[in-house]
Amino acid sequence: MANTNLGKAKAAKNDEFYTQYADIQNEINAYIDYNPDVFKDKTILLPCDDPEWSNFTKFFVNNFERYGIKKLISTSYAYNSKKVSFDYQPTLFETIDSRFEIAKSKERGKIFTLTKDENNDGKIDEKDLKWEYLEGDGDFRSDEIKKLRDEADIIITNPPFSLFREFVAWIFDAKKSFAVIGNMNAITYKEIFPLIKNNQMWLDNPFVRGAGYFTSPLELDKTLSYFNSHDYREGFIRVSGVRWFTNLEHGKRHQPLKLMTESDNIKFSKHKEVKGLGYLKYDNYDAIEIPFTDSIPSNYKGMMGVPISFLDKYCPEQFEIIGLLQSSTDEQAGIPNLRYYNDFKEMRQDMTYTGSSGGKANGNPVLKGKSEKGNFLYNPITEEYVHSVYARILIRHKEN
């Protein structure tokens, strides 16, 4: 699931993507629908945020009274820090305030807090936000922001994608509730997958058609190689495969997935591998290949390898997650590899060698035969052809 935009942004350290208001609202509504009091009397921390750019603070300010929030804390980053690569621009909050100091604004982040109707106008809104300069630059890893984390009940933000592993670890160190945005590929990270497997973290709503459109404090250059006609919107950058990662409960998580039966055979004729419910079995694992989430059989008792997108519809009462079939996480997942492919050579469709050995297939789910697209492996001694598929999550039905 390659993501050119995200990769290019990381390489350029242009990792500040700001979420649209509607995307935040859609997600928070899912928690409110399941538990109307989820934010009641809670302190919410929005790190990696800046009300001048970000909609997270705006959203929770607008709903402060409605949700019964106890305290809202929002911290921003000092943009001229050596850790970021774009020029600092003073915010409106600073330039209209007598406390604005160029030296401070360039070197120190800001903290915004909201607890009550400060100006006594009978309502709580952005005019009641109080702000000060932080002592440091606002990095979430600093002791200053850690203290705010420890004070908070719930952490909600869109962290820099390049720091996703570290940010999630930072949350779990303090054992906090959270809802954060990350890339789908994070599921396969060795630091992230065990949390999902053990039901300590799960996915909620994917963005529309699996892609999020974000704004940025950077001037978006349409000539950059990661822009093209199908993913550019004026003023936005498109990032595919984005999801909400959370440990807040929502109703969708407990909705059983509709499973495939023999009567669904015609409906699922698009799935070549499952036509007639003749599922293929992996060559190196005692599990069957499920190429599409909507083709999981209803009556198979053994283990099944499903795409990582399965987690969008995962119901913990319906399935048990066994592990992750991927070479880099094979040992971590605790799944024995039944066969290795060091004696195989990688080949192209024109039957020429690529120069790579079959070692790359070790740990990955492997099927017999040539792949319809892409490279495959060949053993000249046994005259066997095999090919690996993308990472799979190994699951099985729960008995009850």
Side-chain angles (χ1 to χ4, degrees):
M1 192 180 294
N3 193 316
T4 305
N5 285 0
L6 184 57
K8 293 288 186 179
K10 283 183 180 180
K13 297 183 180 179
N14 296 344
D15 208 14
E16 292 289 327
F17 297 146
Y18 292 145
T19 313
Q20 294 186 72
Y21 193 97
D23 290 330
I24 298 169
Q25 186 174 41
N26 289 339
E27 180 64 13
I28 300 305
N29 281 346
Y31 307 130
I32 293 295
D33 289 344
Y34 186 79
N35 177 12
D37 295 328
V38 62
F39 300 117
K40 187 176 182 179
D41 298 324
K42 297 294 194 299
T43 295
I44 299 176
L45 173 63
L46 312 173
C48 318
D49 206 68
D50 190 326
E52 195 70 19
W53 293 100
S54 171
N55 285 310
F56 279 97
T57 302
K58 296 175 185 176
F59 176 83
F60 282 102
V61 167
N62 291 342
N63 291 281
F64 189 89
E65 290 182 281
R66 178 186 173 196
Y67 295 160
I69 297 170
K70 175 183 177 182
K71 184 178 182 179
L72 182 66
I73 306 172
S74 174
T75 61
S76 69
Y77 197 69
Y79 289 131
N80 79 320
S81 168
K82 294 179 181 179
K83 300 170 187 174
V84 295
S85 61
F86 50 91
D87 294 333
Y88 172 79
Q89 295 294 328
T91 71
L92 183 62
F93 282 99
E94 294 170 311
T95 55
I96 65 174
D97 196 302
S98 60
R99 290 170 295 172
F100 172 59
E101 297 179 32
I102 291 185
K104 286 184 178 180
S105 66
K106 287 186 175 183
E107 298 175 359
R108 293 161 66 174
K110 296 182 290 297
I111 177 171
F112 298 79
T113 57
L114 179 63
T115 56
K116 61 181 181 178
D117 179 11
E118 293 286 346
N119 59 8
N120 297 314
D121 65 354
K123 60 181 179 180
I124 298 178
D125 56 24
E126 63 181 14
K127 295 177 183 177
D128 299 303
L129 277 172
K130 297 169 62 178
W131 77 272
E132 298 287 346
Y133 287 112
L134 293 164
E135 291 300 317
D137 63 7
D139 191 317
F140 70 87
R141 296 163 290 193
S142 67
D143 290 340
E144 186 176 22
I145 306 302
K146 284 181 180 178
K147 289 181 180 178
L148 298 175
R149 173 200 65 181
D150 295 342
E151 176 187 350
D153 299 297
I154 303 173
I155 298 169
I156 301 175
T157 193
N158 178 3
F161 290 155
S162 59
L163 297 176
F164 188 80
R165 293 177 175 90
E166 195 168 355
F167 190 82
V168 170
W170 179 81
I171 293 174
F172 272 86
D173 283 345
K175 300 179 181 178
K176 298 296 180 178
S177 299
F178 66 91
V180 299
I181 296 173
N183 189 263
M184 189 72 167
N185 280 339
I187 291 168
T188 66
Y189 298 165
K190 64 181 181 180
E191 301 90 348
I192 300 299
F193 182 76
L195 301 174
I196 295 173
K197 178 178 181 291
N198 296 327
N199 280 308
Q200 296 171 276
M201 176 169 72
W202 44 86
L203 273 62
D204 195 15
N205 297 317
F207 285 61
V208 178
R209 290 184 293 277
Y213 286 85
F214 299 90
T215 58
S216 173
L218 304 171
E219 181 178 353
L220 300 180
D221 184 354
K222 288 183 285 186
T223 66
L224 292 175
S225 59
Y226 56 82
F227 280 104
N228 54 54
S229 59
H230 78 269
D231 66 16
Y232 181 73
R233 291 183 186 175
E234 190 65 36
F236 291 88
I237 185 170
R238 178 184 187 272
V239 182
S240 64
V242 286
R243 297 291 191 277
W244 287 89
F245 292 76
T246 185
N247 63 355
L248 295 172
E249 285 290 357
H250 54 83
K252 176 184 172 185
R253 168 171 147 80
H254 301 286
Q255 294 176 1
L257 175 65
K258 187 179 185 304
L259 304 177
M260 186 171 174
T261 64
E262 292 186 17
S263 62
D264 294 319
N265 184 39
I266 296 177
K267 177 181 176 182
F268 289 96
S269 61
K270 64 175 183 177
H271 301 166
K272 295 180 180 179
E273 292 88 347
V274 300
K275 223 171 182 180
L277 299 185
Y279 294 88
L280 299 178
K281 199 165 189 177
Y282 295 126
D283 190 55
N284 54 342
Y285 292 104
D286 186 16
I288 60 173
E289 158 73 351
I290 309 295
F292 305 93
T293 298
D294 57 5
S295 62
I296 297 175
S298 61
N299 58 356
Y300 187 75
K301 302 298 183 183
M303 292 191 290
M304 302 169 282
V306 295
I308 61 175
S309 57
F310 158 82
L311 291 177
D312 288 335
K313 300 178 180 179
Y314 167 56
C315 172
E317 291 82 16
Q318 188 178 23
F319 296 103
E320 177 185 4
I321 296 178
I322 307 300
L324 179 66
L325 301 182
Q326 181 177 264
S327 58
S328 61
T329 56
D330 181 38
E331 183 177 351
Q332 167 265 320
I335 304 168
N337 191 323
L338 304 180
R339 186 178 184 186
Y340 288 85
Y341 298 90
N342 299 327
D343 296 331
F344 285 69
K345 296 293 183 182
E346 190 171 20
M347 301 186 72
R348 304 182 182 91
Q349 292 293 327
D350 62 4
M351 301 296 288
T352 60
Y353 289 111
T354 66
S356 299
S357 71
K360 291 194 298 182
N362 294 338
N364 285 317
V366 174
L367 296 171
K368 291 183 178 180
K370 301 177 185 177
S371 59
E372 292 186 7
K373 296 180 180 179
N375 299 338
F376 47 88
L377 302 175
Y378 176 65
N379 187 322
I381 298 176
T382 62
E383 297 184 345
E384 290 179 275
Y385 290 97
V386 297
H387 65 278
S388 61
V389 296
Y390 192 72
R392 293 289 189 257
I393 295 173
L394 198 61
I395 65 168
R396 65 184 169 202
H397 288 285
K398 284 194 171 179
E399 291 186 5
N400 297 319

